[in-house]
Amino acid sequence: MLHLQFIADIRGARVRELEEKRINKEMANIRKKFKDGNLDGYQKKKYVAKIIFTYILGYKVDVGHMEAVNLISSPKYSEKQIGYLAVTLLMHENSDFLRLVVNSIRKDLHGNNEVDNCLALHAIANVGGSEMAEALAEDVHRLLISPTSQSFVKKKAALTLLKLYRKHPDVISAAEWALRLVSIMDDDDLGVVICVTSLVMALAQDHLDAFVVCYTKAVDRLRRLVIEHEYAATYAYYKVPSPWLQVKLLRLLQYYPPSGGLRYMMWNPFTHDSLEDDPAIRSVLHQVLQTIMNNSAEPSRNVQHNNAQHAVLFEAIGLAIHLDTNSPLVSTAAVLLARFISSKETNVRYLGLDTMAHLAARAESLDPIKKHQSTIILSLRDKDISVRRRALDLLYSMCDVDNSEVIVGELLRYLKVADYALREEMVLKIAILTEKYASSYKWYVDTILQLISAAGDHVGEEVWYRVVQIVTNTEDLQEYAAKVVFEHLKTPSAHESLVKVGGYILGEYGHLIANEPGYSPIEQFHLIHSKSQYCMAGTRSLLLSTYIKWVNVFPEIKPQLVTIFERYRHVLDAELQQRACEFYALASRPEDDELLQNVCEEMPPFPPRVSALLGRLNRKLGDTGDKRTWVHGGKDANVDRELVQQRKASTSEGPSQPIRKDTQDISDSLAGLDFSSPSRPDPLTQHVVSGPNVDRWFEKLTYSAEGVLYEDVQIQIGIKSRYQGHVGQLAIYLGNKVPTPLTSFTTTVYVPDPDALSVTFAKIPPNTIAPRTQTQQLLHVECKKAFTEPPLLTVSFLAGSHQTMTIRLPIVLTKFVEHVKFGQTEFFERWRLIGGPPREAQSVFAIQLNNAAQLDLAKNRQVVSGHNLNVLEDIDPNLNNLVAAGVVHTSVEGKVGCLLRLEPNKEAKLCRLTVRSTSDDVAKEVQKLIQKPLIADT
């Protein structure tokens, strides 16, 4: 019990000197014990625990590191726990000792003891440097996806991966692990789902394409929580089902762009369409958001219940705004927000203003927000600074041509009493709004000069630079600007930024007002020079440039100006001295010398350039770990932001820089070696399941309505379809053949040409198939124009391990053909009218005779009629030949006629297939589809 005596002595020390003396004595004893060796596990644990206690008290510790490493390898939990605690507290991520524990940590990760797993995960999360992350990230991932891992281990593994990704994103194979990580979002334990969703949120922000499947998973989980109430009672927080998970899922959905709100679309690599365009997902999402808003319509008396509901509600409103600002949901949300910004609770006001700023950043019309303009302006004087900041952001976002003068005027009045933490941001926003929505140049100049006068030190260089640019480039404004700035300079406490503006404008355009009373050259000189003594060297340098301009245009005050140059020739500042010497030399030249006139010519207009104010504001606001999907500043600012992002994305994939010659020589010598990093396979080129049976099943389904598409020992996939005109329905029957459920079941469809073919699910597919049962998924199909590639169905599920397969769907062009009946004369008339190539597709191919060594006329007829072409009787005198006709229906290109002749030859074992159509693409595709099942196997 000596360690308890040690703690008692420390607590009993009355002064720090006694405490230090006792600690030094104990550390000396511990060093001696460690040096002597022969300590058992219990003794090592006891002494390392004392070292940890000393470290926690704030004393430096330089002993016990190796013993802590050894304790981690101990089979006893108490010793292992102290070892891990010492490692996480005493070592930093770059410590050399950490290299010694990697193998011990890996062993604990691979072990069957869940407590050891958790201790190892804690250590990785707390001190995992780049080396440890690179060595153990795969092991942590394996622990997360293992079907034998306990729920609490999975939670810790997910959060450990999240910590590693935030510190060392390069060591996480995000795209490679995407499908497997997203599948865990279907876990029965909501605690696991919350942790994995946090991980997916971080990864999806940087890898939208790879994690696109999480969109459907998130919508489905929200449906089960909000509408179907599928959750354990332990996850109901004051009758709100798992509000933390709801908030995360709603935020995750906002990372993916809306269907029509942005010009830059992020395409779903499986449906090749924007995610919200899927009617099944859109319908469910609308129900979820509507239910959340209905549940929050009336506030409860319970504060905790209100807090949880409001947390979910504001994220739901944010998602509704993100998806479509014109939807009825957003109209409902606007009414709710109006109530929230007037709430007595500070948190509710804050969230209401922030969400309303999101609405202002997306909405086509600001009228619903302008109704509450007076309330928002009052929020500028709220007692809480965070609410005042959100009110400023909202006023900045809702400003337009109609209310700009009111909002800018209010902001100017508030600027004089605003918090110092807000002033610089306010100055930038006022300057941006004044320039963007100026009703006249005179109002712009008046407002900006008031801003500079009121803000003082909070005015950045960019503000007065921009004023100078606009005045220089606007000839009608120059005389007015000179007068106004002269009047502002008369104030006793004119700020230095105002002196800079005044020095530049009066130097360039002071001569325009020199003949008016009160603005004579000598009065301009006295006014400017009286301010110079309070200015920094940079401002004085600018004023010297103003004086040399006046030497050129105001010869009557030349003596006074030359005197100033003479005085400044002897100052210590090198810049001022050089300017004064140069300007003195210029001013001393003869009056008929043209050099002075040439040097002091009026400044030419500035070239058109983007305002630097926006860049300064964006740099000041910075970015956060959770990336916003919108920015303050109205709809135009958000559209511009998306265009910039699109441009960055396109330039990042653009042509590389020219290769230097020496680099080229090295590259030539290393030719043939592949140094490229592996990338995620494109859905177009990824492996499609094939084989004799699979190909035969697919081929048969191209000319039949139902049958088996795929089958193995675990799953059977069957198809049943019907088509009418340019639309159709495809029922996919998914059967589980094993005695265990198929969990995290995901089905996605990839359409190679979405402009020609649309394939969508009727409803969100179920995520579990019970043992030895079958489930059905319905697809809606629409043919827009001729297409050549069938869509791909990707199926993934958990059955012990994660399995994924991609199969071709039997949706081909001939599914949209309808019968046409012709007589002999009419058929051959149309046949000749269409003519030969390119509207004709013809091929001669080998065929196989039946068992009786005869032509298989029944199969020929079955294939042709199965492709929905009407076999016409009594057209061709040769009874072995087939003549058929049909019309392809498309929604965009309309109807396309198609005629066919099939002429088999028994003796030659050959067949000639000729297809003529008003569209050469249709002719080629129909010829290819019909030839495929008839051609003889080689």
Side-chain angles (χ1 to χ4, degrees):
M1 306 299 285
L2 291 176
H3 58 285
L4 295 180
Q5 184 60 46
F6 170 62
I7 296 174
D9 292 345
I10 294 296
R11 289 181 175 175
R14 295 183 178 180
V15 292
R16 183 174 177 82
E17 288 75 11
L18 294 176
E19 182 179 286
E20 287 182 359
K21 184 178 179 181
R22 181 67 183 89
I23 286 174
N24 290 335
K25 178 182 177 182
E26 191 63 34
M27 288 297 105
N29 179 53
I30 292 174
R31 285 192 189 92
K32 183 176 182 301
K33 293 290 185 182
F34 286 161
K35 186 176 181 180
D36 294 343
N38 299 323
L39 298 176
D40 58 21
Y42 172 77
Q43 290 174 315
K44 285 183 182 178
K45 179 190 74 172
K46 179 180 68 174
Y47 291 128
V48 172
K50 288 184 178 181
I51 293 171
I52 293 172
F53 179 72
T54 303
Y55 176 80
I56 292 173
L57 288 177
Y59 292 91
K60 289 185 178 181
V61 172
D62 57 358
V63 67
H65 295 78
M66 199 64 210
E67 284 68 24
V69 171
N70 292 333
L71 284 175
I72 288 179
S73 305
S74 173
K76 293 184 179 180
Y77 169 73
S78 59
E79 296 172 8
K80 187 183 290 288
Q81 182 191 33
I82 291 295
Y84 272 115
L85 183 60
V87 165
T88 54
L89 286 176
L90 304 181
M91 300 180 191
H92 56 82
E93 64 179 41
N94 297 319
S95 173
D96 292 334
F97 286 102
L98 283 182
R99 297 173 183 170
L100 304 175
V101 300
V102 169
N103 287 331
S104 297
I105 293 176
R106 182 181 283 115
K107 183 179 177 182
D108 287 337
L109 289 175
H110 290 176
N112 295 324
N113 189 320
E114 293 85 359
V115 177
D116 291 352
N117 296 158
C118 292
L119 287 174
L121 292 171
H122 274 295
I124 296 170
N126 284 313
V127 294
S130 58
E131 289 186 20
M132 183 180 285
E134 192 171 345
L136 298 175
E138 290 279 355
D139 300 284
V140 177
H141 173 250
R142 193 177 299 112
L143 198 60
L144 171 61
I145 67 175
S146 171
T148 60
S149 295
Q150 296 292 329
S151 292
F152 66 89
V153 176
K154 288 183 179 180
K155 289 190 280 189
K156 291 183 184 297
L159 296 177
T160 301
L161 280 179
L162 176 59
K163 184 72 174 291
L164 291 180
Y165 182 73
R166 286 173 173 169
K167 290 174 68 178
H168 313 288
D170 296 337
V171 304
I172 303 296
S173 305
E176 183 182 336
W177 296 350
L179 285 177
R180 189 63 184 87
L181 292 176
V182 170
S183 69
I184 309 176
M185 292 175 68
D186 286 325
D187 198 280
D188 293 332
D189 190 311
L190 287 186
V192 174
V193 178
I194 292 173
C195 295
V196 171
T197 302
S198 300
L199 175 60
V200 170
M201 284 178 68
L203 295 171
Q205 290 183 60
D206 301 321
H207 306 87
L208 282 178
D209 281 344
F211 284 85
V212 73
V213 184
C214 74
Y215 199 96
T216 306
K217 297 288 185 188
V219 174
D220 185 50
R221 178 62 74 173
L222 283 169
R223 174 183 61 82
R224 289 155 60 189
L225 283 174
V226 177
I227 298 175
E228 298 181 3
H229 303 288
E230 288 184 19
Y231 57 90
T234 52
Y235 284 97
Y237 180 79
Y238 289 91
K239 300 180 181 180
V240 180
S242 191
W244 302 276
L245 179 56
Q246 287 192 58
V247 167
K248 288 178 183 293
L249 293 173
L250 292 166
R251 176 65 60 86
L252 175 60
L253 296 178
Q254 294 180 55
Y255 294 155
Y256 288 89
S259 55
L262 301 179
R263 299 182 185 180
Y264 172 56
M265 300 302 299
M266 182 65 69
W267 298 105
N268 182 344
F270 295 105
T271 65
H272 215 275
D273 205 347
S274 60
L275 291 156
E276 295 79 6
D277 283 346
D278 189 315
I281 292 178
R282 187 169 60 243
S283 174
V284 172
L285 201 50
H286 185 276
Q287 291 178 33
V288 168
L289 296 176
Q290 186 69 62
T291 305
I292 291 173
M293 290 186 189
N294 291 342
N295 292 343
S296 306
E298 293 299 327
S300 168
R301 293 183 178 180
N302 189 299
V303 177
Q304 285 83 359
H305 175 78
N306 276 343
N307 288 341
Q309 268 199 334
H310 286 150
V312 177
L313 175 63
F314 283 113
E315 282 299 336
I317 293 174
L319 178 58
I321 294 168
H322 178 75
L323 296 180
D324 183 10
T325 55
N326 297 319
S327 71
L329 287 173
V330 176
S331 301
T332 305
V335 176
L336 291 172
L337 291 175
R339 190 179 77 197
F340 290 141
I341 63 174
S342 303
S343 172
K344 294 181 180 179
E345 294 185 34
T346 303
N347 290 338
V348 176
R349 290 199 306 276
Y350 174 92
L351 291 169
L353 291 167
D354 189 55
T355 310
M356 195 172 274
H358 186 186
L359 178 58
R362 296 285 192 197
E364 297 288 343
S365 172
L366 294 172
D367 291 339
I369 303 173
K370 289 180 182 177
K371 294 177 183 177
H372 314 288
Q373 184 169 301
S374 57
T375 306
I376 299 166
I377 290 173
L378 282 175
S379 299
L380 280 175
R381 289 165 174 79
D382 195 276
K383 60 183 179 181
D384 191 291
I385 186 172
S386 61
V387 174
R388 296 197 292 271
R389 190 181 291 277
R390 292 288 79 82
L392 171 62
D393 291 336
L394 177 52
L395 287 171
Y396 175 66
S397 295
M398 66 182 283
C399 187
D400 62 11
V401 176
D402 298 329
N403 61 5
S404 58
E405 294 193 17
V406 175
I407 289 179
V408 170
E410 286 292 339
L411 292 178
L412 278 173
R413 280 190 287 276
Y414 176 62
L415 179 63
K416 298 173 183 177
V417 295
D419 305 81
Y420 284 99
L422 281 177
R423 288 194 180 184
E424 186 176 355
E425 183 181 339
M426 283 191 71
V427 168
L428 288 172
K429 288 182 173 178
I430 293 171
I432 291 169
L433 294 178
T434 306
E435 179 182 344
K436 189 174 182 180
Y437 300 112
S439 55
S440 67
Y441 283 120
K442 292 182 178 180
W443 178 77
Y444 170 77
V445 170
D446 290 340
T447 305
I448 288 293
L449 291 179
Q450 286 180 44
L451 174 65
I452 294 174
S453 300
D457 293 333
H458 301 281
V459 177
E461 298 286 326
E462 294 86 352
V463 176
W464 77 268
Y465 285 171
R466 193 61 179 166
V467 179
V468 164
Q469 290 174 25
I470 291 174
V471 171
T472 303
N473 290 11
T474 311
E475 188 174 347
D476 297 340
L477 184 62
Q478 292 163 0
E479 182 178 347
Y480 179 78
K483 285 184 179 179
V484 173
V485 77
F486 185 89
E487 295 299 329
H488 275 275
L489 284 172
K490 287 182 178 179
T491 57
S493 57
H495 191 266
E496 190 165 346
S497 296
L498 187 62
V499 176
K500 292 177 183 177
V501 176
Y504 181 92
I505 292 178
L506 291 177
E508 292 291 330
Y509 313 113
H511 63 280
L512 298 177
I513 60 173
N515 295 327
E516 298 186 23
Y519 302 106
S520 64
I522 192 65
E523 288 175 301
Q524 292 185 36
F525 167 70
H526 285 313
L527 181 61
I528 285 286
H529 192 59
S530 64
K531 308 293 183 184
S532 64
Q533 56 184 325
Y534 306 109
C535 296
M536 305 290 288
T539 307
R540 294 186 184 186
S541 298
L542 187 148
L543 294 181
L544 288 179
S545 300
T546 301
Y547 297 159
I548 194 64
K549 293 262 186 178
W550 283 347
V551 168
N552 184 42
V553 294
F554 299 146
E556 60 269 34
I557 60 171
K558 181 177 178 180
Q560 293 94 322
L561 298 173
V562 172
T563 303
I564 292 173
F565 294 147
E566 172 65 28
R567 188 187 310 156
Y568 273 93
R569 287 170 64 190
H570 307 291
V571 296
L572 296 177
D573 187 277
E575 172 68 17
L576 279 173
Q577 189 183 84
Q578 182 176 351
R579 286 197 184 210
C581 290
E582 292 172 355
F583 293 162
Y584 181 80
L586 278 174
S588 302
R589 297 179 70 86
E591 293 184 0
D592 56 350
D593 193 337
E594 296 182 356
L595 178 61
L596 179 62
Q597 297 178 12
N598 294 334
V599 170
C600 298
E601 281 185 355
E602 190 173 303
M603 283 288 289
F606 290 91
R609 64 181 69 177
V610 178
S611 173
L613 297 175
L614 283 171
R616 173 68 184 275
L617 180 62
N618 293 336
R619 287 196 301 273
K620 178 172 177 57
L621 296 178
D623 204 350
T624 60
D626 184 16
K627 297 178 182 175
R628 272 186 183 266
T629 58
W630 57 279
V631 293
H632 296 292
K635 193 170 189 301
D636 294 340
N638 283 275
V639 171
D640 293 342
R641 173 177 177 265
E642 297 303 325
L643 289 174
V644 169
Q645 289 182 344
Q646 182 180 8
R647 199 175 298 119
K648 286 181 179 178
S650 61
T651 53
S652 65
E653 300 171 1
S656 57
Q657 294 295 323
I659 302 174
R660 286 171 39 194
K661 187 178 185 307
D662 53 349
T663 310
Q664 184 66 52
D665 294 340
I666 298 172
S667 301
D668 292 342
S669 64
L670 298 176
L673 298 179
D674 182 14
F675 295 100
S676 60
S677 59
S679 58
R680 196 169 75 93
D682 186 82
L684 278 169
T685 58
Q686 67 183 349
H687 179 68
V688 177
V689 175
S690 62
N693 289 337
V694 176
D695 293 342
R696 187 176 72 254
W697 290 330
F698 171 78
E699 188 178 285
K700 187 174 181 180
L701 282 168
T702 60
Y703 60 89
S704 57
E706 57 184 78
V708 174
L709 179 63
Y710 176 83
E711 186 171 11
D712 59 22
V713 296
Q714 292 179 315
I715 189 172
Q716 182 189 64
I717 302 176
I719 295 291
K720 192 172 183 179
S721 61
R722 62 177 182 178
Y723 295 86
Q724 183 174 4
H726 65 274
V727 296
Q729 281 188 340
L730 192 77
I732 305 175
Y733 295 91
L734 301 156
N736 179 4
K737 298 171 64 177
V738 296
T740 56
L742 302 180
T743 59
S744 191
F745 202 91
T746 306
T747 52
T748 50
V749 175
Y750 169 72
V751 182
D753 187 0
D755 294 330
L757 184 69
S758 171
V759 182
T760 56
F761 286 99
K763 61 180 182 178
I764 295 180
N767 57 17
T768 302
I769 302 181
R772 303 193 187 284
T773 59
Q774 188 182 72
T775 184
Q776 174 188 311
Q777 293 184 14
L778 198 63
L779 291 178
H780 293 306
V781 186
E782 179 187 5
C783 179
K784 301 175 183 177
K785 57 184 181 181
F787 62 94
T788 58
E789 295 291 331
L792 303 179
L793 174 70
T794 299
V795 177
S796 64
F797 55 87
L798 286 175
S801 63
H802 188 260
Q803 301 186 40
T804 303
M805 62 189 72
T806 301
I807 313 161
R808 293 172 296 169
L809 282 175
I811 301 174
V812 294
L813 184 61
T814 51
K815 295 290 183 181
F816 305 94
V817 174
E818 283 192 351
H819 286 191
V820 175
K821 188 168 180 60
F822 289 133
Q824 185 180 33
T825 305
E826 190 178 2
F827 176 85
F828 283 109
E829 183 180 336
R830 289 177 180 270
W831 183 267
R832 286 190 295 271
L833 188 63
I834 293 175
R839 293 184 173 184
E840 178 186 272
Q842 189 178 78
S843 63
V844 177
F845 53 91
I847 57 173
Q848 196 167 353
L849 303 180
N850 61 15
N851 294 334
Q854 299 295 322
L855 293 171
D856 197 344
L857 299 180
K859 181 180 180 182
N860 293 351
R861 180 177 289 269
Q862 179 189 7
V863 171
V864 173
S865 59
H867 281 286
N868 299 314
L869 291 163
N870 185 25
V871 178
L872 304 176
E873 306 293 344
D874 304 325
I875 300 293
D876 195 308
N878 187 340
L879 297 179
N880 292 336
N881 294 350
L882 283 182
V883 176
V887 173
V888 180
H889 288 261
T890 64
S891 61
V892 175
E893 296 180 344
K895 298 179 180 180
V896 180
C898 182
L899 304 177
L900 173 144
R901 294 186 70 183
L902 185 70
E903 302 165 285
N905 187 308
K906 175 184 173 183
E907 288 73 20
K909 294 184 181 180
L910 295 174
C911 180
R912 180 170 64 187
L913 173 63
T914 309
V915 180
R916 291 187 179 182
S917 171
T918 52
S919 166
D920 51 344
D921 293 333
V922 171
K924 292 175 184 176
E925 183 62 18
V926 172
Q927 178 262 326
K928 183 184 75 172
L929 291 170
I930 292 180
Q931 174 184 319
K932 187 76 185 295
L934 297 177
I935 194 168
D937 295 333
T938 55

